[in-house]
Amino acid sequence: MAVPNDSPVRVRIAPSPTGFAHLGTASTALYNLLFARQNGGTFVLRIDDTDLERNRPEYELLIDESLRWLSLDWDEGPIRQSERLDIYKEEAAKLLASGKAYRCYCTADELESERREAQAAKRPYKYSRRCLTNPPDDRSEFAVRFRVPGGDVTFTDMVRGEMRFDSDLIGDFIIVKSDGYPTYQFASPVDDALMKITHVIRGEEHLSNTPYQLMLIDALGYERPQAFAHMPLILAPDGSKLSKRKHPESNLMLFRDLGYLPEALINYLALLGWNPGTEQELFTLQDLERAFSFARVQHAGARFDWEKLNWLNGEYIRRLSVDELTERLKPFVPQVDEDTLRQAVPALQTRMHKLAQAIDYLDFLWTDPAVPALDGDAAQRVKGAIEAVRDVEWQPEAIEAALEKAVADSGVGKGKFYTPLRDVLTGKKVALPIHYCFGLLPKQVALARLERATRVTA
Ligand code: GLU
């Protein structure tokens, strides 16, 4: 029962608030958003929060915050499944009344021994239907099981084409648990049907759930979504399944905290699993709306690649104006005043691939480095540098010119001259160009660090 093709496109994401916001949620949200925008459709945010033990409101807040950070704006919602429990009860009652579902009184132990028997006999496990054929009359606690009608379930997948599943391989499955809560397998298709979702776009891990969910929609007499799209899994860099516990890259907020720009992450996620068929690599959200199509989505899992993300993020950083980059850097280096930060930006901009690197480059401004023990020659050069810059205008260009002159006078190369200076001013092996190390510090502080070092010779 496909919905008529002229019905307005409605898509949804349905994250579960059971942990930190997941990278996969952002990627699924992106594809849903693109498809909705391409078709003048509506993008719904549904919160799948029927897992009482694992749901936390703070996790829902993280989903909200991370989607907003990425500008993956939804049009409707959030709609919480926990506020729709009456609906699932009613739908389950309909299935019970029509004999399409039945009460199952089996205990966990009984089910486990059925499963073990099947295993011992080396046959795939399917529920025995004991409670359908011969229900006990002395028990009161029950779950509700769907009676799988059998036969093929077919549907269109926009990535994988026409799909066919043999439902005879699927045992009758639980749709309402003994605590009265619906399972994901039940609540999800009920909502998709009642919310008139026309296209279900989600991760490949849900491909095998689709026949279960379509059987339920059919049994309830609702219209099916027109089509599905099961997007490739995002894999860890080593090719294994991306796991919340093992792989930091699964945590969406990590990217914000490290200083990946939301527009760069969106661009990266789009290219992870999809390719435009051209050489173009930089895409704004608007570009993606134009270029994206499910036809160019790959089937195989997509490996996360930090190098590619770093490259893209660096490209985005270099395209920002000085003002814009200054703004974006502020939360990373709150110790630095705005003028100093703006002065540092041209040097930072060519060196960073993520904003948090600014901390390493700039922390010499608010932490006093250890005083190195210089040898006599190095101390001499530091003294030369002090004299060279003492009376110049205190900004990087003027300092640079003065230092270059001092280098020429010293008879040693730039590297040799600047190394002790950098060491004394920043305590670092890798730092901004030397005239920035001078100019970003207040003049008295820079001179005091240098003078102090001339007194601690090796
Ligand atoms: N709550 C499910 C998840 O987070 C939703 C899957 C779906 O889109 O149906 O994976």
Side-chain angles (χ1 to χ4, degrees):
M1 261 181 289
V3 282
N5 282 336
D6 58 356
S7 62
V9 163
R10 288 175 60 79
V11 295
R12 68 8 173 226
I13 55 165
S16 301
T18 53
F20 55 66
H22 198 270
L23 186 67
T25 300
S27 143
T28 308
L30 171 63
Y31 296 126
N32 274 279
L33 177 88
L34 292 175
F35 189 70
R37 297 243 175 109
Q38 286 178 337
N39 292 284
T42 304
F43 173 32
V44 181
L45 172 61
R46 187 172 80 218
I47 302 291
D48 275 9
D49 59 350
T50 54
D51 186 339
L52 275 191
E53 317 236 297
R54 293 165 62 222
N55 290 325
R56 298 270 180 284
E58 56 271 29
Y59 294 144
E60 185 185 324
L61 282 179
L62 278 179
I63 293 170
D64 181 283
E65 197 179 325
S66 50
L67 293 177
R68 285 179 199 279
W69 172 62
L70 290 167
S71 300
L72 294 170
D73 302 327
W74 57 96
D75 308 304
E76 250 177 51
I79 300 170
R80 293 182 195 88
Q81 289 194 323
S82 60
E83 292 165 10
R84 298 165 58 80
L85 296 174
D86 288 348
I87 296 175
Y88 312 124
K89 281 207 177 99
E90 218 172 280
E91 298 297 332
K94 281 191 213 162
L95 291 177
L96 279 171
S98 62
K100 290 175 177 165
Y102 58 94
R103 293 185 174 84
C104 175
Y105 300 90
C106 293
T107 63
D109 284 348
E110 287 166 342
L111 294 171
E112 184 49 35
S113 74
E114 273 195 3
R115 205 167 287 125
R116 254 183 280 131
E117 259 173 50
Q119 219 170 20
K122 294 198 167 23
R123 57 180 160 76
Y125 174 66
K126 253 170 89 165
Y127 175 59
S128 65
R129 289 195 159 166
R130 183 170 31 189
C131 287
L132 177 66
T133 50
N134 187 19
D137 49 18
D138 56 345
R139 297 187 188 180
S140 56
E141 192 172 297
F142 64 87
V144 179
R145 264 186 207 275
F146 179 62
R147 184 179 176 174
V148 172
D152 279 355
V153 181
T154 57
F155 61 91
T156 304
D157 190 291
M158 294 187 281
V159 175
R160 281 147 225 274
E162 294 309 308
M163 304 297 294
R164 176 181 299 275
F165 283 86
D166 177 2
S167 82
D168 291 320
L169 302 174
I170 299 174
D172 294 350
F173 57 94
I174 292 181
I175 57 174
V176 180
K177 293 175 278 182
S178 57
D179 62 7
Y181 273 79
T183 57
Y184 157 70
Q185 214 61 294
F186 184 52
S188 183
V190 164
D191 280 344
D192 289 342
L194 295 181
M195 292 171 186
K196 304 214 174 309
I197 299 302
T198 56
H199 298 77
V200 174
I201 301 162
R202 58 186 173 186
E204 191 198 330
E205 68 270 31
H206 295 292
L207 181 59
S208 59
N209 291 329
T210 300
Y212 291 68
Q213 300 176 359
L214 286 176
M215 287 191 286
L216 283 164
I217 294 180
D218 292 349
L220 287 165
Y222 291 125
E223 284 175 333
R224 285 182 174 195
Q226 255 172 59
F228 287 74
H230 289 95
M231 307 304 291
L233 287 184
I234 302 179
L235 304 176
D238 64 5
S240 64
K241 190 169 178 289
L242 197 57
S243 122
K244 279 198 179 186
R245 271 180 307 109
K246 279 194 280 175
H247 302 116
E249 46 280 273
S250 61
N251 183 353
L252 199 43
M253 278 310 179
L254 174 86
F255 296 94
R256 187 183 66 177
D257 296 346
L258 291 176
Y260 288 93
L261 308 186
E263 56 273 46
L265 187 59
I266 288 286
N267 192 152
Y268 178 71
L269 286 175
L271 295 177
L272 195 58
W274 167 80
N275 78 78
T278 65
E279 296 294 299
Q280 187 177 349
E281 302 221 69
L282 296 185
F283 289 88
T284 63
L285 200 51
Q286 289 71 31
D287 294 336
L288 289 170
E289 275 173 41
R290 255 174 275 123
F292 177 77
S293 87
F294 286 106
R296 301 202 67 90
V297 169
Q298 72 193 40
H299 294 196
R303 252 181 221 233
F304 193 90
D305 176 357
W306 282 104
E307 219 174 285
K308 175 93 185 257
L309 174 63
N310 287 340
W311 172 78
L312 262 177
N313 203 50
E315 291 297 310
Y316 276 85
I317 286 176
R318 282 180 269 296
R319 282 169 167 74
L320 295 177
S321 69
V322 170
D323 280 349
E324 182 63 38
L325 184 50
T326 305
E327 261 328 290
R328 301 227 197 179
L329 282 169
K330 277 183 190 170
F332 290 87
V333 283
Q335 304 88 338
V336 181
D337 68 82
E338 184 167 339
D339 285 344
T340 306
L341 187 55
R342 183 171 288 105
Q343 254 196 342
V345 156
L348 289 171
Q349 191 157 28
T350 55
R351 286 173 173 72
M352 285 191 307
H353 62 257
K354 57 184 180 223
L355 302 179
Q357 287 175 300
I359 302 168
D360 255 1
Y361 279 118
L362 297 181
D363 64 358
F364 75 101
L365 297 177
W366 67 87
T367 43
D368 203 6
V371 186
L374 302 176
D375 64 28
D377 286 348
Q380 222 27 61
R381 275 176 244 131
V382 171
K383 283 183 189 155
I386 296 172
E387 289 321 307
V389 301
R390 196 186 289 284
D391 296 321
V392 302
E393 189 194 346
W394 203 249
Q395 42 93 356
E397 292 73 32
I399 294 168
E400 183 179 25
L403 286 175
E404 278 179 358
K405 188 164 174 302
V407 171
D409 293 347
S410 74
V412 296
K414 264 191 189 179
K416 201 156 190 180
F417 194 89
Y418 290 157
T419 300
L421 298 176
R422 188 192 59 223
D423 206 13
V424 168
L425 291 174
T426 70
K428 305 252 176 178
K429 295 268 169 287
V430 179
L432 295 180
I434 194 68
H435 48 295
Y436 280 89
C437 300
F438 275 81
L440 295 175
L441 282 167
K443 185 173 184 176
Q444 316 81 287
V445 176
L447 293 181
R449 283 185 191 177
L450 294 164
E451 272 156 13
R452 179 178 64 181
T454 62
R455 294 193 290 272
V456 189
T457 44

